[in-house]
Amino acid sequence: MTTRGRFITLEGVDGAGKSTHTVWIADFLRAQGLDVVSTREPGGTPLGEKLRALLLTDAMGLDTETLLMFAARCEHLHQVIEPALARGAWVVCDRYTDATYAYQGGGRGLGAARVATLESWMQAGQPDRTWLFDVPLEVARARLADAREPDRFEREGAAFFERTREAYHARAAADPSRIRIVDSTQSIAQVRAGLEAGLRELLGQSA
Ligand code: TYD
């Protein structure tokens, strides 16, 4: 029987530097000879990418925003994530349900209970490992300043950022064995060293 693959997610506030590390993690796992699917949310399917474009640009109510996040996720889970894990591939996903708890639940103030309702409706399991890239506001702002035109979430103010970061921390505190906080103010090399140790642990290669 095929061994089920592992599901890894990367999280963090905008500007935490998670996208750089997502690419590195996928490359590292491929170099171990694994079948790796690198994907992202919202998005990851043709329909999901259309929803992403709407979510990042169009004004909408909070319930609509949350439901669309889950609509994209549902499609992604059934079309991409589940089939990949079932065939033994490792899935590396840039953001997943923790982002909805953080951004919609915390940042926008929807609260965790509403997000939990939708999560239970979707009946998905938790990722095997989540790395939460954490940086204070000033660092995130400095990194975003060099990036392209900010999207609808990146344009939010300091209070939104702090609520989102706090909600991420609450998620990590509630599930410390799954969610590992990475101090993303460190150099890329330092972050990678920590990630490599964590990946080797998942691969069963730790000493
Ligand atoms: P992001 O992953 O940061 O991509 P990029 O690196 O291209 O900016 O952008 C996705 C945005 O979507 C990000 O601001 C967070 C937001 N988001 C939510 O608000 N809720 C969610 O459930 C997800 C998956 C993302």
Side-chain angles (χ1 to χ4, degrees):
M1 220 182 82
T2 317
T3 310
R4 192 177 159 81
R6 296 298 187 100
F7 183 24
I8 296 172
T9 61
L10 295 312
E11 297 283 356
V13 290
D14 289 286
K18 115 200 108 46
S19 302
T20 312
H21 297 297
T22 307
V23 174
W24 184 83
I25 288 174
D27 287 345
F28 176 87
L29 292 172
R30 281 191 191 103
Q32 305 291 308
L34 292 166
D35 177 3
V36 178
V37 172
S38 183
T39 186
R40 69 172 180 181
E41 291 211 351
T45 64
L47 177 63
E49 290 295 326
K50 286 186 189 167
L51 293 173
R52 178 187 179 93
L54 294 173
L55 280 159
L56 296 191
T57 56
D58 288 36
M60 63 184 77
L62 176 53
D63 286 342
T64 307
E65 180 177 293
T66 308
L67 288 163
L68 287 181
M69 289 292 179
F70 270 99
R73 181 163 303 133
C74 213
E75 196 68 10
H76 193 207
L77 183 70
H78 297 308
Q79 303 293 335
V80 176
I81 299 173
E82 272 301 333
L85 294 173
R87 72 163 194 264
W90 285 46
V91 176
V92 180
C93 191
D94 188 341
R95 298 193 187 282
Y96 192 60
T97 308
D98 293 309
T100 316
Y101 280 98
Y103 280 79
Q104 283 66 49
R108 297 244 196 261
L110 183 70
R114 296 291 288 278
V115 181
T117 304
L118 292 171
E119 185 183 28
S120 67
W121 189 11
M122 206 177 65
Q123 294 198 333
Q126 295 294 332
D128 296 294
R129 174 71 75 249
T130 298
W131 275 288
L132 170 56
F133 295 90
D134 187 51
V135 287
L137 176 64
E138 319 78 70
V139 177
R141 282 285 140 93
R143 289 183 183 166
L144 281 178
D146 301 336
R148 47 165 181 48
E149 200 49 26
D151 63 38
R152 214 160 63 80
F153 297 97
E154 292 160 350
R155 283 197 297 270
E156 289 290 339
F160 177 89
F161 176 98
E162 295 296 358
R163 286 192 302 271
T164 303
R165 188 179 181 208
E166 228 170 78
Y168 265 134
H169 281 182
R171 296 286 293 162
D175 195 355
S177 63
R178 173 175 68 89
I179 305 179
R180 305 277 165 89
I181 298 180
V182 179
D183 173 4
S184 207
T185 61
Q186 298 177 103
S187 69
I188 289 181
Q190 284 171 316
V191 171
R192 278 183 189 167
L195 290 174
E196 180 169 344
L199 288 165
R200 291 199 185 279
E201 183 190 326
L202 272 185
L203 286 159
Q205 295 175 353
S206 44

